[in-house]
Amino acid sequence: MISAAVSYTTEAHLSVPGIDVEVLSFRQPEPFTGEFGSERHSLSMSLTPLVTCSRGAYVDADGRPGEWHPVGDVSFCPGGTRLAVMAPGGVESYRGIYCSFDADVFERTTGLGDGWTPAQLAAALDIQSPTIKRGLYRIVQEVSEPGYHRDKLVEITAQLVLAEFTRYLHDLETRPTSELRPALAGWQ
């Protein structure tokens, strides 16, 4: 659910048990401030060049945003949370894939429930995983250009993406902090 007025077009949609996938397009020529929230877990990926400098903050029970973090081209929002987003605008044509998961499918696939740590929540806003991106691109292909047995391929690929997301979060927690900080190469 988006609290700000955003007019979008659904290019493709597919529902499989416990999973909904949409490929959406919209315009964002002006700066945008809004709030996203859903009872379902949501994974999204930009299919156009990222709107740079977008920031997100999880909203607390009193409606106040917490710490602001960069929002990357792949992001995740746990079900039952609200996310405040600020984006600079300037996008005449934006496309994205949005996958939402029932709690039972998500928890059965990932083993994750409630009790997200602040580090996990921050990492979920800017997911840096080529494997997850490849899986999401495959889902876009199957939803947009349907082929034989697409429902099962989308369901299995979405579950694989969730398993990779679990690995991504686990790896972040087990690496030393010094390995997690992005740095420029010496020549830069």
Side-chain angles (χ1 to χ4, degrees):
M1 178 186 98
I2 303 171
S3 66
V6 174
S7 177
Y8 61 86
T9 302
T10 302
E11 294 181 15
H13 177 265
L14 180 68
S15 292
V16 296
I19 304 168
D20 289 310
V21 178
E22 293 180 298
V23 177
L24 302 177
S25 61
F26 60 90
R27 296 180 64 241
Q28 187 184 326
E30 302 297 323
F32 171 86
T33 301
E35 191 175 294
F36 298 83
S38 173
E39 290 306 309
R40 301 180 85 201
H41 299 282
S42 306
L43 179 67
S44 62
M45 180 176 72
S46 172
L47 300 173
T48 55
L50 180 64
V51 178
T52 58
C53 302
S54 295
R55 313 272 301 157
Y58 293 97
V59 178
D60 68 18
D62 296 325
R64 293 184 304 254
E67 186 176 346
W68 291 88
H69 299 279
V71 176
D73 57 347
V74 179
S75 61
F76 178 84
C77 190
T81 61
R82 295 183 336 207
L83 179 66
V85 176
M86 292 187 298
V91 178
E92 289 299 322
S93 178
Y94 178 90
R95 289 183 73 226
I97 178 173
Y98 300 87
C99 304
S100 61
F101 304 90
D102 287 348
D104 62 325
V105 169
F106 180 80
E107 290 172 17
R108 187 174 57 247
T109 305
T110 66
L112 298 170
D114 294 333
W116 291 71
T117 67
Q120 287 175 322
L121 290 172
L125 291 178
D126 187 10
I127 299 170
Q128 299 293 317
S129 170
T131 306
I132 292 173
K133 282 185 179 184
R134 278 193 302 274
L136 290 171
Y137 276 119
R138 175 67 191 267
I139 293 170
V140 170
Q141 178 185 4
E142 290 297 330
V143 172
S144 300
E145 303 167 15
Y148 177 73
H149 218 53
R150 83 171 177 156
D151 290 15
K152 187 52 81 176
L153 283 168
V154 167
E155 181 179 10
I156 291 168
T157 305
Q159 290 173 347
L160 177 64
V161 166
L162 286 180
E164 289 290 348
F165 177 62
T166 306
R167 177 180 282 177
Y168 173 78
L169 291 177
H170 177 267
D171 289 351
L172 288 176
E173 291 175 351
T174 58
R175 270 190 229 135
T177 306
S178 61
E179 290 183 34
L180 299 178
R181 294 201 174 111
L184 296 175
W187 58 269
Q188 294 175 312

